[in-house]
Amino acid sequence: MVSSVLCRCVASPPPDAAATASSSASSPASVGDPCGGAVCGGPDHQLRLWSLFQTLDVNRDGGLCVNDLAVGLRRLGLHRTEGELQKIVQAGDKDLDGQLDFEEFVHYLQDHEKKLRLVFKSLDKKNDGRIDAQEIMQSLRDLGVKISEQQAEKILKSMDKNGTMTIDWNEWRDYHLLHPVENIPEIILYWKHSTIFDVGENLTVPDEFTVEERQTGMWWRHLVAGGGAGAVSRTCTAPLDRLKVLMQVHASRSNNMCIVGGFTQMIREGGAKSLWRGNGINVLKIAPESAIKFMAYEQMKRLVSSDQETLRIHERLVAGSLAGAIAQSSIYPMEVLKTRMALRKTGQYSGMLDCARRILAKEGVAAFYKGYIPNMLGIIPYAGIDLAVYETLKNTWLQRYAVNSADPGVFVLLACGTISSTCGQLASYPLALVRTRMQAQASIEGAPEVTMSSLFKQILRTEGAFGLYRGLAPNFMKVIPAVSISYVVYENLKITLGVQSR
């Protein structure tokens, strides 16, 4: 067992570990305990890790490769798949030489052990230092997965070494110590980048669902709840969204449209009802886009990774970007319609179908794909920045503030989602502005038809770099209310649909 290896204090330590040993030999923690309490996290931490490192380093070359880990763990009675072992090496291999030296091994295990302790405390509902069958059942219920007491006891037996049908910290740590970090589903599920953060953009990476959620059909309830939340959120913030589109298309140095002036102009031209122009199609496209993106994401995961349950951040970016491109290609004509409906004047169109019919008759099918290229190019910077910022904020919070639980709470999740989404929008905004202007070209009398590159040059020449960020203020103003509204509606819809909150 791993715990017996960790207590083997007779193993000869490396020079720095020897110094640690000599300094701690006289400390109170080491009296009557050769390992100085190392197994339970005492001061001789370095010694027990060196002992485990020696046991796993089967060829004695000072590094742990995948083969070393496979052979060494088998000798300890632990079996891991090759994929799991590769993830362990990749997670700790800072110098990219394909193996872990002692320092890399120590950093990996210390990081991993901290996460294990956080998950243990999250599962320990009674806060008594032990996890029983009822606590496992409750924790899984919180994640939307229902299991019987017999199934919970079976999970316990796999980790329970002393037959008490409960798991203490040592049993939990010994069982999970050399599992890759991605095999800790609770942390992933607490922090999953959920569709509840709906800010009206269409470039986010799709939601993640567990095997159980997919097998039980729970995933579609999450999608319905997310779609309903998005519809309410977009409707509530539609006036700001329409103002953004107007400023993107019409604002310039000579027409410096401000927020108050823009609202006044809209109300004067079409009344208060005109503030919601374009919202109908914006809400209508949520359902097909979400469904197509989810299906495409599931297929893309198979292409980019052999282990679809534990995608790393770059794999999520690739799969999410490809899925986003497929979904956007499928519903892009609706994007053009949304822009044209938002820009229309009173009485110009009788409705969405009339707008589509007139565009088709006057401009042809190609008009429904104007701005397609900048829209596709915007997916990667948006999704990449969004994911990277979210992961950075998550890891920072876990390192600094996660003391008793891996559960960050509602406000931390909302803050991280809001900040990451805002950064993603900021990175891709110039492309979004060019896309909107290209979509609107034919609706502006006498406007010449231009390409993406010529439009970029024209904006920079006539308006400067600031011109690429027209409409940014109302766009950012809608982020916090959009996220907050979508979260509240999402949670209430989940209760209505019988989906357990995490």
Side-chain angles (χ1 to χ4, degrees), residues 134-175:
Q134 291 299 319
E135 288 170 320
I136 289 179
M137 290 171 67
Q138 179 59 49
S139 297
L140 290 175
R141 264 199 305 271
D142 291 344
L143 299 173
V145 181
K146 293 182 180 179
I147 62 170
S148 67
E149 190 168 355
Q150 290 74 24
Q151 289 172 307
E153 288 174 353
K154 187 176 179 182
I155 293 172
L156 275 177
K157 284 178 183 176
S158 65
M159 293 177 265
D160 181 24
K161 294 184 293 188
N162 53 18
T164 60
M165 289 307 292
T166 60
I167 307 164
D168 60 22
W169 160 242
N170 289 333
E171 289 171 323
W172 172 264
R173 183 201 61 210
D174 293 350
Y175 183 82

Side-chain angles (χ1 to χ4, degrees), residues 37-321:
V39 174
C40 54
D44 286 337
H45 194 68
Q46 194 92 340
L47 271 175
R48 69 184 179 95
L49 295 180
W50 174 248
S51 178
L52 179 58
F53 183 83
Q54 280 190 313
T55 302
L56 296 176
D57 185 15
V58 293
N59 58 8
R60 294 290 183 265
D61 64 350
L64 301 180
C65 61
V66 171
N67 185 62
D68 285 333
L69 288 173
V71 175
L73 289 173
R74 269 200 302 271
R75 290 177 181 174
L76 296 173
L78 300 173
H79 298 277
R80 302 285 181 261
T81 66
E82 185 177 350
E84 289 175 332
L85 296 176
Q86 284 175 345
K87 284 178 180 175
I88 290 173
V89 173
Q90 288 172 359
D93 186 15
K94 303 301 182 187
D95 57 9
L96 304 177
D97 63 352
Q99 60 180 9
L100 306 179
D101 59 28
F102 180 64
E103 185 179 351
E104 291 171 332
F105 182 67
V106 168
H107 285 155
Y108 169 79
L109 284 188
Q110 286 174 341
D111 250 11
H112 189 62
E113 196 167 312
K114 180 179 179 180
K115 291 187 172 84
L116 285 174
R117 188 175 288 278
L118 289 172
V119 177
F120 181 83
K121 288 183 177 180
S122 295
L123 295 175
D124 183 15
K125 305 289 186 185
K126 299 173 186 173
N127 201 29
D128 60 357
R130 292 182 175 277
I131 301 170
D132 59 27
Q134 291 299 319
E135 288 170 320
I136 289 179
M137 290 171 67
Q138 179 59 49
S139 297
L140 290 175
R141 264 199 305 271
D142 291 344
L143 299 173
V145 181
K146 293 182 180 179
I147 62 170
S148 67
E149 190 168 355
Q150 290 74 24
Q151 289 172 307
E153 288 174 353
K154 187 176 179 182
I155 293 172
L156 275 177
K157 284 178 183 176
S158 65
M159 293 177 265
D160 181 24
K161 294 184 293 188
N162 53 18
T164 60
M165 289 307 292
T166 60
I167 307 164
D168 60 22
W169 160 242
N170 289 333
E171 289 171 323
W172 172 264
R173 183 201 61 210
D174 293 350
Y175 183 82
H176 289 287
L177 188 62
L178 283 163
H179 265 111
V181 171
E182 292 89 345
N183 277 2
I184 306 176
E186 286 79 9
I187 285 181
I188 295 172
L189 283 166
Y190 274 132
W191 286 95
K192 72 177 180 178
H193 209 176
S194 176
T195 49
I196 61 174
F197 304 124
D198 189 298
V199 291
E201 300 299 323
N202 310 295
L203 310 178
T204 51
V205 172
D207 210 347
E208 298 274 7
F209 296 103
T210 63
V211 175
E212 289 81 5
E213 285 172 326
R214 291 199 295 271
Q215 289 176 345
T216 59
M218 195 63 71
W219 63 271
W220 71 261
R221 298 189 187 187
H222 281 280
L223 285 184
V224 170
V232 175
S233 165
R234 293 184 190 195
T235 300
C236 291
T237 59
L240 286 167
D241 193 61
R242 187 180 180 222
L243 178 60
K244 177 195 73 173
V245 173
L246 287 173
M247 292 177 74
Q248 285 179 330
V249 175
H250 296 302
S252 63
R253 280 180 175 169
S254 58
N255 179 25
N256 192 17
M257 186 185 295
C258 65
I259 292 172
V260 175
F263 277 125
T264 303
Q265 180 181 321
M266 285 190 287
I267 294 172
R268 187 184 297 126
E269 192 275 331
K273 189 179 177 181
S274 69
L275 297 176
W276 277 267
R277 283 179 186 167
N279 182 59
I281 191 75
N282 196 29
V283 169
L284 197 62
K285 65 187 176 68
I286 292 175
E289 184 184 24
S290 297
I292 294 168
K293 191 186 285 187
F294 170 70
M295 299 300 180
Y297 188 55
E298 291 300 306
Q299 297 302 316
M300 292 305 107
K301 287 200 298 186
R302 292 186 175 90
L303 293 178
V304 302
S305 175
S306 57
D307 186 355
Q308 297 165 49
E309 301 310 310
T310 57
L311 264 65
R312 293 186 289 275
I313 184 169
H314 69 275
E315 292 172 335
R316 286 193 66 202
L317 174 59
V318 172
S321 297

Side-chain angles (χ1 to χ4, degrees), residues 406-465:
D407 183 0
V410 172
F411 292 110
V412 173
L413 283 175
L414 289 177
C416 291
T418 302
I419 294 169
S420 64
S421 176
T422 301
C423 291
Q425 289 183 71
L426 189 61
S428 63
Y429 195 83
L431 286 162
L433 180 136
V434 168
R435 173 203 66 194
T436 304
R437 288 204 180 180
M438 291 179 73
Q439 290 172 343
Q441 274 174 359
S443 67
I444 304 172
E445 292 296 330
E449 188 164 328
V450 292
T451 63
M452 180 183 74
S453 58
S454 62
L455 190 52
F456 262 116
K457 291 174 184 176
Q458 178 189 327
I459 293 171
L460 288 171
R461 185 179 65 254
T462 59
E463 303 178 50

Side-chain angles (χ1 to χ4, degrees), residues 391-407:
E391 290 295 313
T392 301
L393 292 172
K394 175 188 80 173
N395 292 329
T396 301
W397 188 91
L398 283 169
Q399 290 296 322
R400 294 187 180 181
Y401 305 110
V403 178
N404 296 316
S405 173
D407 183 0

